[in-house]
Amino acid sequence: MKVASIQLEMGDRSKAENIEYALARLDQTPAVDLILLPEIWTCGFFAFDRYAADSEPLDGPIVTAFRQKARERRCHMVMGSLVEREGSGLFNTTVFIGPDGEIISRYRKIHLFGYQSDETKLLTPGEEVVVTDTPWGRAGFSTCYDLRFPELFRRMVDREAEIFFIPSAWPLARIEAWRLFNRARAHENLAFLVSCNCAGENAGKRYGGHSMIVDPWGKVLAEGGEGAEVVTAEIDVRDAGRARAEFPALADRVLR
């Protein structure tokens, strides 16, 4: 499968402007099997004062527009995350869309970020570990800060995940930790990992970019820089099973 991680350049734009920008970047991306977008790109992760006003249910105009785009392109799409509104609750929700435009699954971020952040004050954490069948293998989902919690990835592996998709808004100040965790989560689980981080700046915070595609041995197949770009690679998800057969560390686990 060919994957493309679209590293968006954030700025202090309106929600409508961000949607127009993201759709334009999609239109500029060559044909691939799966597209991944970053975390809360609709307003910018650090624009906490906009979370409630910019939130939408999953049948709102943002997801509807990207369902149509997935249908037009006939590709799978991890449209990154948005602030989802359901009843009185707000969630950091990643939406996975099929080439027919239908929603395959959603993942609500479990580990909310409270360090110099209002995410924990404004949003409700998710509770469900999400692993979904795809035409290429089993895919697990996490978001940004989740990378610091390896037990989540083990639980996805226990559900037979072979590839992880990770939208993010990781800041430049901690980019070396980001690069470390991308490789570590892939290699320790003998799985592929595809991440999409924001670039640029909004609400006075600079994002780190460096979206990555990592193979089960921890080898970086493709990595972005600090600016807007599309990071692509062609992978065979079956290589995760081959790696696990060749080096059966997961089968040797004692503590579960």
Side-chain angles (χ1 to χ4, degrees):
M1 67 182 294
K2 190 167 187 179
V3 296
S5 183
I6 302 180
Q7 191 166 281
L8 299 178
E9 182 90 17
M10 298 305 300
D12 293 316
R13 296 182 292 261
S14 69
K15 173 181 170 181
E17 289 171 326
N18 280 327
I19 295 169
E20 182 180 3
Y21 166 61
L23 289 171
R25 294 290 288 151
L26 276 171
D27 288 338
Q28 295 161 7
T29 301
V32 294
D33 298 303
L34 184 140
I35 289 172
L36 176 63
L37 293 170
E39 178 186 20
I40 307 193
W41 55 266
T42 50
C43 64
F45 178 82
F46 292 101
F48 302 116
D49 59 338
R50 292 174 51 179
Y51 274 24
D54 284 3
S55 65
E56 289 187 8
L58 295 192
D59 60 357
I62 296 175
V63 177
T64 299
F66 282 82
R67 290 178 62 187
Q68 176 61 32
K69 188 61 66 174
R71 191 179 300 117
E72 290 173 6
R73 294 184 59 103
R74 300 299 301 168
C75 74
H76 285 74
M77 186 180 300
V78 182
M79 62 158 284
S81 73
L82 73 158
V83 181
E84 177 201 2
R85 182 175 69 250
E86 184 176 74
S88 60
L90 298 178
F91 305 86
N92 186 337
T93 301
T94 292
V95 184
F96 183 41
I97 303 168
D100 58 358
E102 295 303 307
I103 295 174
I104 297 173
S105 62
R106 73 175 179 190
Y107 167 70
R108 289 172 168 172
K109 185 178 180 182
I110 292 173
H111 300 97
L112 301 183
F113 190 55
Y115 175 73
Q116 300 178 348
S117 163
D118 290 342
E119 187 181 28
T120 51
K121 300 174 186 176
L122 299 172
L123 304 185
T124 300
E127 298 179 347
E128 183 183 2
V129 177
V130 176
V131 177
T132 301
D133 286 324
T134 77
W136 310 281
R138 297 272 286 169
F141 297 85
S142 71
T143 307
C144 199
Y145 191 46
D146 283 330
L147 270 171
R148 289 185 178 269
F149 301 90
E151 59 272 22
L152 171 60
F153 291 79
R154 284 293 202 232
R155 290 185 66 183
M156 288 192 280
V157 166
D158 287 341
R159 290 164 170 77
E160 301 180 340
E162 300 165 288
I163 184 170
F164 304 127
F165 294 117
I166 308 175
S168 187
W170 201 280
L172 180 61
R174 292 181 290 279
I175 199 62
E176 286 308 313
W178 160 264
R179 299 179 74 220
L180 170 67
F181 293 140
N182 271 254
R183 294 187 64 200
R185 296 297 87 85
H187 185 41
E188 70 194 3
N189 293 294
L190 296 166
F192 283 94
L193 182 149
V194 183
S195 64
C196 187
N197 196 23
C198 293
E201 179 179 324
N202 88 296
K205 298 287 187 178
R206 185 80 187 170
Y207 300 102
H210 286 273
S211 302
M212 300 176 77
I213 301 170
V214 187
D215 79 4
W217 300 105
K219 179 182 178 181
V220 178
L221 303 178
E223 180 175 359
E226 291 182 14
E229 65 180 285
V230 179
V231 180
T232 63
E234 193 157 354
I235 62 176
D236 185 345
V237 179
R238 293 173 298 180
D239 286 344
R242 297 180 184 118
R244 292 171 182 179
E246 179 181 343
F247 187 73
L250 294 173
D252 293 335
R253 291 167 60 197
V254 176
L255 300 177
R256 294 180 183 267

mmCIF file of all heavy atoms in Angstrom, residues 29 37 82 137 139 150 242 252 256:
data_model
loop_
_atom_site.group_PDB
_atom_site.id
_atom_site.type_symbol
_atom_site.label_atom_id
_atom_site.label_comp_id
_atom_site.label_asym_id
_atom_site.label_seq_id
_atom_site.Cartn_x
_atom_site.Cartn_y
_atom_site.Cartn_z
ATOM 1 N N THR A 29 -2.195 16.237 -3.560
ATOM 2 C CA THR A 29 -1.500 15.002 -3.212
ATOM 3 C C THR A 29 -1.731 13.936 -4.286
ATOM 4 O O THR A 29 -2.875 13.690 -4.675
ATOM 5 C CB THR A 29 -2.005 14.475 -1.847
ATOM 6 O OG1 THR A 29 -1.769 15.480 -0.850
ATOM 7 C CG2 THR A 29 -1.296 13.201 -1.446
ATOM 8 N N LEU A 37 -4.029 12.799 8.084
ATOM 9 C CA LEU A 37 -3.930 14.208 8.461
ATOM 10 C C LEU A 37 -3.627 14.318 9.956
ATOM 11 O O LEU A 37 -3.796 13.353 10.708
ATOM 12 C CB LEU A 37 -5.238 14.935 8.129
ATOM 13 C CG LEU A 37 -5.579 15.084 6.643
ATOM 14 C CD1 LEU A 37 -7.007 15.600 6.470
ATOM 15 C CD2 LEU A 37 -4.602 16.031 5.965
ATOM 16 N N LEU A 82 -10.574 15.955 15.173
ATOM 17 C CA LEU A 82 -11.300 17.206 15.356
ATOM 18 C C LEU A 82 -11.891 17.192 16.752
ATOM 19 O O LEU A 82 -11.898 16.148 17.437
ATOM 20 C CB LEU A 82 -12.404 17.352 14.312
ATOM 21 C CG LEU A 82 -13.662 16.479 14.466
ATOM 22 C CD1 LEU A 82 -14.836 17.108 13.709
ATOM 23 C CD2 LEU A 82 -13.424 15.060 13.967
ATOM 24 N N GLY A 137 -4.377 -5.089 6.412
ATOM 25 C CA GLY A 137 -4.056 -5.669 7.712
ATOM 26 C C GLY A 137 -4.828 -4.947 8.794
ATOM 27 O O GLY A 137 -5.626 -4.039 8.526
ATOM 28 N N ALA A 139 -5.374 -2.372 11.722
ATOM 29 C CA ALA A 139 -4.838 -1.043 12.013
ATOM 30 C C ALA A 139 -5.312 -0.571 13.386
ATOM 31 O O ALA A 139 -6.502 -0.660 13.709
ATOM 32 C CB ALA A 139 -5.278 -0.048 10.952
ATOM 33 N N PRO A 150 3.133 3.092 26.324
ATOM 34 C CA PRO A 150 3.313 1.860 25.543
ATOM 35 C C PRO A 150 2.267 0.799 25.814
ATOM 36 O O PRO A 150 2.012 -0.052 24.964
ATOM 37 C CB PRO A 150 4.717 1.391 25.937
ATOM 38 C CG PRO A 150 5.015 2.067 27.240
ATOM 39 C CD PRO A 150 4.295 3.378 27.196
ATOM 40 N N ARG A 242 5.810 -11.144 9.149
ATOM 41 C CA ARG A 242 7.089 -11.794 8.858
ATOM 42 C C ARG A 242 8.125 -11.438 9.919
ATOM 43 O O ARG A 242 8.910 -12.306 10.346
ATOM 44 C CB ARG A 242 7.560 -11.384 7.469
ATOM 45 C CG ARG A 242 6.621 -11.819 6.346
ATOM 46 C CD ARG A 242 7.128 -11.380 4.979
ATOM 47 N NE ARG A 242 6.176 -11.716 3.928
ATOM 48 C CZ ARG A 242 5.561 -10.840 3.150
ATOM 49 N NH1 ARG A 242 5.822 -9.544 3.288
ATOM 50 N NH2 ARG A 242 4.717 -11.238 2.220
ATOM 51 N N ASP A 252 7.199 -14.102 23.474
ATOM 52 C CA ASP A 252 7.937 -14.356 24.708
ATOM 53 C C ASP A 252 7.484 -13.489 25.873
ATOM 54 O O ASP A 252 8.072 -13.570 26.963
ATOM 55 C CB ASP A 252 9.449 -14.116 24.468
ATOM 56 C CG ASP A 252 10.042 -15.136 23.522
ATOM 57 O OD1 ASP A 252 9.489 -16.245 23.416
ATOM 58 O OD2 ASP A 252 11.077 -14.813 22.869
ATOM 59 N N ARG A 256 1.310 -9.603 31.085
ATOM 60 C CA ARG A 256 0.268 -9.110 30.174
ATOM 61 C C ARG A 256 -0.771 -8.327 30.947
ATOM 62 O O ARG A 256 -0.994 -8.553 32.107
ATOM 63 C CB ARG A 256 -0.404 -10.279 29.432
ATOM 64 C CG ARG A 256 0.536 -10.997 28.483
ATOM 65 C CD ARG A 256 -0.192 -12.146 27.773
ATOM 66 N NE ARG A 256 0.710 -12.876 26.909
ATOM 67 C CZ ARG A 256 0.886 -12.632 25.620
ATOM 68 N NH1 ARG A 256 0.196 -11.660 25.045
ATOM 69 N NH2 ARG A 256 1.713 -13.337 24.896
#
